[in-house]
Amino acid sequence: MQLTAETMQLSSLLDRFAEPETLKMAKLGRELRAKGVDVIDLSLGEPDFDTPQHIKDAAKKAIDDNWSHYTPVAGYPDLRAAVCGKFKRDNDLDYKPENIVVSTGAKQSLANAILALVDEGDEVIIPAPFWVTYSELVKMARGIPVILPTGMESNFKITAKELEESITDRSKVFLFSSPCNPSGSVYSKKELEVLADVFRKHPQVFIISDEIYEYINFVNKHESIAQISDMKDRVIIINGLSKGFAMTGWRLGYIAANVEIAKACEKLQGQITSGANSITQKAAVVALTTDLRPSMEMVKEFTRRRKRVMELVKEIPGIKCNEPEGAFYIFPDVSYYFGKSDGQTIVSNSNDFCMYLLNTAHVSSVMGDAFGDPKGVRFSFANSMEKIEEGFKRIKEALGKLK
């Protein structure tokens, strides 16, 4: 008998979560390019810079020095020590190597933390908009995502009152990012302290703090909720090298957590992937312990692009957009265009809006529904200024046809 989608009995796990819309849009863009269409990618969250030379040189040396064998599940000792040094230097946080688990990307670090903490029926509070994978990982763990909507008027940040009202006896984890993907919002120390006042009343709630965009901050020094001393033991920090060091393809993430949670993540990882890539780990030691100027130069360029993107988006009628404080995205409200048509295509929602731009303007973006906010669309400015300007020119022209 020939196997088909109808006859195969695949795991019910696959029905619990969806394909990431970010990857789906990138795939659609690649398919159009394969047909000869000039597609401008404003969808993927990937710096368009090359990895700094001194990091690449460290990887080459690691190959020559024969770092080619299996690695410890939690990471090489010198890398875990380097991560501890980074936390002390950048965040004034004291961790020991036993608090650190290195993984194959921050996404795996996040999966480890959620699977280590969440049981069936546990509630995970997630402010929206949120990174697309958060809710799906919770579903994989048989937890219940509790989506907490925010708005542009609050710069997409939650208040203490909203947090308090969302917590129940089943709440297990609060999961958020700062700087935020997709909104670019950055929580200040004062804002985090206000949230900490709520968490003190609910000691059963752990906090997963995704800080992968730490270095890409346009307004203030990065603040972590783990810096609030009585919160630290309940906080699992997720971080990595993809964004701040332009090392997306190297796949290196890490957590900092109390020892018991770190051990749990190591146990999980030991049965799934074991240790992260040896060459990447050796390059990561150099990235974390040496010159940060290349990273800061990237931030300067992102700052320049942010300014230009805000100028361009203000030229498009009907779009409302706050200025991001971090990361490299804007997340405008495009609901003005819902219900409009160019005579052939009707734009009914953010998914239609993104597909219209892809097929008409040949610009890729990501629909807000994927991030828990159906009125928004995420545009990335992790592309060249030339591509950004051309992309928004096309967007303005395409939207001008909608009546």
Side-chain angles (χ1 to χ4, degrees):
M1 181 180 70
Q2 185 177 3
L3 288 176
T4 66
E6 290 74 26
T7 60
M8 281 190 287
Q9 295 295 313
L10 298 177
S11 168
S12 64
L13 170 66
L14 296 167
D15 297 325
R16 281 185 234 146
F17 65 95
E19 176 186 5
E21 293 290 348
T22 48
L23 301 182
K24 177 181 174 183
M25 291 304 293
K27 179 181 177 182
L28 291 173
R30 285 194 298 270
E31 289 173 355
L32 276 179
R33 283 193 200 92
K35 296 176 182 177
V37 178
D38 176 26
V39 176
I40 293 178
D41 191 348
L42 301 182
S43 66
L44 268 185
E46 178 174 30
D48 59 312
F49 303 99
D50 293 326
T51 303
Q53 188 62 47
H54 67 291
I55 300 173
K56 293 190 287 188
D57 290 342
K60 294 172 187 176
K61 184 176 186 301
I63 293 171
D64 291 338
D65 290 347
N66 295 310
W67 288 96
S68 54
H69 302 281
Y70 285 133
T71 61
V73 172
Y76 283 130
D78 58 343
L79 176 53
R80 295 165 82 188
V83 171
C84 293
K86 170 257 173 290
F87 277 116
K88 185 62 177 176
R89 177 193 68 203
D90 296 342
N91 314 109
D92 196 27
L93 283 169
D94 292 306
Y95 287 107
K96 296 179 180 179
E98 55 260 40
N99 298 115
I100 309 301
V101 178
V102 174
S103 302
T104 306
K107 185 181 282 189
Q108 185 181 19
S109 296
L110 183 63
N112 285 344
I114 290 173
L115 291 170
L117 289 170
V118 177
D119 266 325
E120 184 170 1
D122 286 344
E123 294 178 350
V124 178
I125 302 165
I126 309 174
F130 52 83
W131 184 46
V132 297
T133 295
Y134 290 170
S135 59
E136 305 313 294
L137 285 174
V138 172
K139 293 172 188 175
M140 289 174 70
R142 293 188 182 273
I144 301 169
V146 177
I147 307 305
L148 192 57
T150 65
M152 199 172 291
E153 63 282 354
S154 65
N155 205 20
F156 298 111
K157 299 178 192 178
I158 62 164
T159 65
K161 183 175 183 290
E162 290 168 332
L163 175 61
E164 180 74 68
E165 291 174 349
S166 71
I167 295 176
T168 72
D169 292 341
R170 299 172 71 182
S171 300
K172 187 66 175 290
V173 173
F174 175 77
L175 170 55
F176 79 120
S177 60
S178 179
C180 176
N181 173 7
S183 71
S185 299
V186 175
Y187 281 85
S188 68
K189 186 173 184 179
K190 183 178 180 180
E191 289 167 334
L192 293 172
E193 286 173 342
V194 170
L195 297 183
D197 287 338
V198 178
F199 289 125
R200 289 189 183 99
K201 303 175 193 176
H202 304 279
Q204 84 279 10
V205 179
F206 290 91
I207 301 117
I208 298 179
S209 180
D210 183 350
E211 303 178 18
I212 189 71
Y213 291 94
E214 172 184 3
Y215 290 150
I216 308 171
N217 187 323
F218 308 120
V219 288
N220 299 303
K221 176 181 176 294
H222 175 74
E223 304 289 350
S224 172
I225 195 168
Q227 292 166 329
I228 302 170
S229 57
D230 63 331
M231 289 290 109
K232 182 185 173 189
D233 206 42
R234 295 164 59 185
V235 175
I236 301 92
I237 297 177
I238 309 291
N239 211 325
L241 277 68
S242 293
K243 315 300 182 179
F245 296 92
M247 293 177 67
T248 51
W250 297 67
R251 308 310 303 138
L252 200 291
Y254 54 85
I255 68 160
N258 74 53
V259 171
E260 292 307 311
I261 292 175
K263 286 180 179 177
C265 290
E266 181 180 3
K267 181 179 180 180
L268 279 164
Q269 187 167 297
Q271 291 291 7
I272 300 172
T273 59
S274 295
N277 178 282
S278 60
I279 307 305
T280 294
Q281 288 197 49
K282 287 301 174 183
V285 172
V286 171
L288 291 171
T289 59
T290 58
D291 191 3
L292 288 177
R293 281 179 295 179
S295 295
M296 296 306 102
E297 287 300 315
M298 284 191 283
V299 175
K300 286 182 183 178
E301 177 59 20
F302 284 134
T303 304
R304 192 171 76 94
R305 293 177 189 175
R306 179 185 70 145
K307 180 176 182 292
R308 184 62 179 137
V309 164
M310 291 306 298
E311 292 170 350
L312 293 168
V313 79
K314 285 174 183 176
E315 295 175 2
I316 303 174
I319 287 185
K320 294 182 286 186
C321 188
N322 67 320
E323 187 168 30
E325 299 171 331
F328 38 66
Y329 312 104
I330 59 169
F331 193 71
D333 179 336
V334 300
S335 59
Y336 169 82
Y337 290 96
F338 297 174
K340 297 185 184 297
S341 172
D342 65 351
Q344 293 181 311
T345 302
I346 298 174
V347 174
S348 299
N349 49 45
S350 69
N351 182 75
D352 290 347
F353 183 94
C354 291
M355 293 308 298
Y356 175 74
L357 290 186
L358 182 63
N359 293 319
T360 304
H362 301 142
V363 175
S364 63
S365 55
V366 187
M367 58 288 297
D369 301 77
F371 303 101
D373 187 334
K375 295 193 293 185
V377 166
R378 191 188 79 174
F379 294 102
S380 168
F381 50 90
N383 208 329
S384 69
M385 189 70 83
E386 179 186 6
K387 293 288 188 182
I388 289 169
E389 290 182 335
E390 174 62 22
F392 277 94
K393 177 186 173 184
R394 295 183 189 182
I395 291 168
K396 184 178 179 181
E397 289 175 355
L399 294 180
K401 299 174 184 176
L402 295 175
K403 307 297 181 185

